[in-house]
Amino acid sequence: METTRKSMTAREKIRRLVDVKEQAQREAQERYRTDPEIRAVIEELKRKNGARHTK
Amino acid sequence: MAQDIPNNQYDFSFAGSEQNLYYFTTHLEIIYEVKFVPSSYLFFDYIDDHVNAFEMVISVVDNPIGKRIPADPLTEPTIRAIFYDFFRSLDHVIIYICDSSDGRQEARFRKFTNWYYKNIAVDLFKMDARLPDGDRFTLLSGILSKKHPHFSQFVELFKNLAEADK
């Protein structure tokens, strides 16, 4: 999430870091629900994980 | 790109070159996303050059057990492996904010600090800032190489962030 150069106070930067984190966490859950490519990546990881833990 | 992974961590996948997304799942099928969000705006007041700063965001995207996630000794080394997979020491600056949504940010901060001091790559440097946020604290850390070309600007940035409430 980049923008044009704009001077910010330290407090504004911290607020933005927190906002970015919260937005990224919401988007992560949405991506998992709606993005078939991400679901495929995760299903493959689950499969590998399962195989490792049943060895 | 799934890795050839040792037994003390989980497999992980890099799933998005545009968004810098990594995923891993645990033996309880808890699913994590680790994202590195471009954050060069942090340095706008300090330098005209572009600085490759990223905010590292760790998200639980699915928790099928539906309650507080139990401690898992493989989670920390997996996140560390992801950090080092992404991190380019002479180029990147990584910022991490502890999640305070459940009031457990102090524990997360201790874990993160413990990880850093236990397994630090020799040339890395970390600075922390702890800021009042209502009845809680916002805890953040920044990591970069001691040889990073903008090391002095990073130190100045963190000093200013740490004094943001003064």
Side-chain angles (χ1 to χ4, degrees):
Chain A
M1 189 191 298
E2 295 289 70
T3 57
T4 52
R5 298 182 78 94
K6 171 177 169 273
S7 186
M8 298 168 78
T9 66
R11 177 53 72 181
E12 287 171 336
K13 287 176 182 174
I14 290 162
R15 187 70 254 161
R16 181 159 168 185
L17 284 165
V18 172
D19 289 347
V20 165
K21 175 177 70 71
E22 291 173 353
Q23 184 183 341
Q25 289 176 331
R26 285 193 299 272
E27 288 174 353
Q29 295 188 342
E30 181 67 16
R31 221 178 344 263
Y32 172 63
R33 281 195 297 270
T34 61
D35 188 329
E37 288 183 20
I38 296 300
R39 288 299 282 250
V41 167
I42 290 168
E43 290 308 314
E44 176 65 9
L45 283 168
K46 282 183 181 176
R47 190 190 61 73
K48 285 184 181 171
N49 232 358
R52 288 178 73 200
H53 286 274
T54 54
K55 278 178 189 170
Chain B
M1 82 187 146
Q3 312 285 307
D4 248 351
I5 295 291
N7 283 332
N8 63 351
Q9 68 186 63
Y10 292 112
D11 284 333
F12 65 86
S13 285
F14 181 62
S17 55
E18 286 181 14
Q19 298 198 71
N20 307 321
L21 298 174
Y22 289 82
Y23 290 92
F24 69 96
T25 70
T26 73
H27 69 289
L28 294 174
E29 298 207 340
I30 293 160
I31 301 165
Y32 287 88
E33 180 191 281
V34 181
K35 181 177 185 179
F36 295 89
V37 184
S39 305
S40 64
Y41 66 89
L42 292 166
F43 289 86
F44 284 174
D45 298 299
Y46 301 93
I47 189 162
D48 289 334
D49 291 350
H50 176 85
V51 177
N52 271 324
F54 296 88
E55 180 175 352
M56 182 172 77
V57 182
I58 301 169
S59 307
V60 175
V61 297
D62 192 36
N63 174 10
I65 62 175
K67 54 186 179 184
R68 185 171 152 179
I69 297 170
D72 181 337
L74 302 191
T75 299
E76 179 187 300
T78 306
I79 292 173
R80 184 169 56 242
I82 289 170
F83 174 90
Y84 282 112
D85 188 78
F86 180 77
F87 187 65
R88 300 289 173 264
S89 71
L90 294 180
D91 187 22
H92 290 171
V93 175
I94 305 294
I95 309 292
Y96 174 68
I97 289 200
C98 292
D99 190 347
S100 61
S101 57
D102 59 1
R104 298 182 60 233
Q105 67 272 27
E106 295 276 2
R108 290 193 183 91
F109 191 65
R110 279 196 299 274
K111 260 189 194 175
F112 187 75
T113 300
N114 182 49
W115 156 61
Y116 174 81
Y117 285 108
K118 193 166 64 179
N119 293 288
I120 181 174
V122 286
D123 76 328
L124 290 190
F125 178 81
K126 176 164 90 67
M127 276 185 87
D128 303 323
R130 178 190 183 90
L131 298 140
D133 183 10
D135 57 349
R136 294 178 180 167
F137 284 91
T138 295
L139 300 167
L140 65 146
S141 295
I143 297 177
L144 82 171
S145 166
K146 291 172 187 166
K147 298 172 188 162
H148 192 285
H150 303 310
F151 182 84
S152 62
Q153 287 88 355
F154 170 86
V155 171
E156 193 181 350
L157 166 69
F158 256 75
K159 278 183 182 168
N160 288 337
L161 291 178
E163 293 174 352
D165 62 314
K166 292 180 183 167

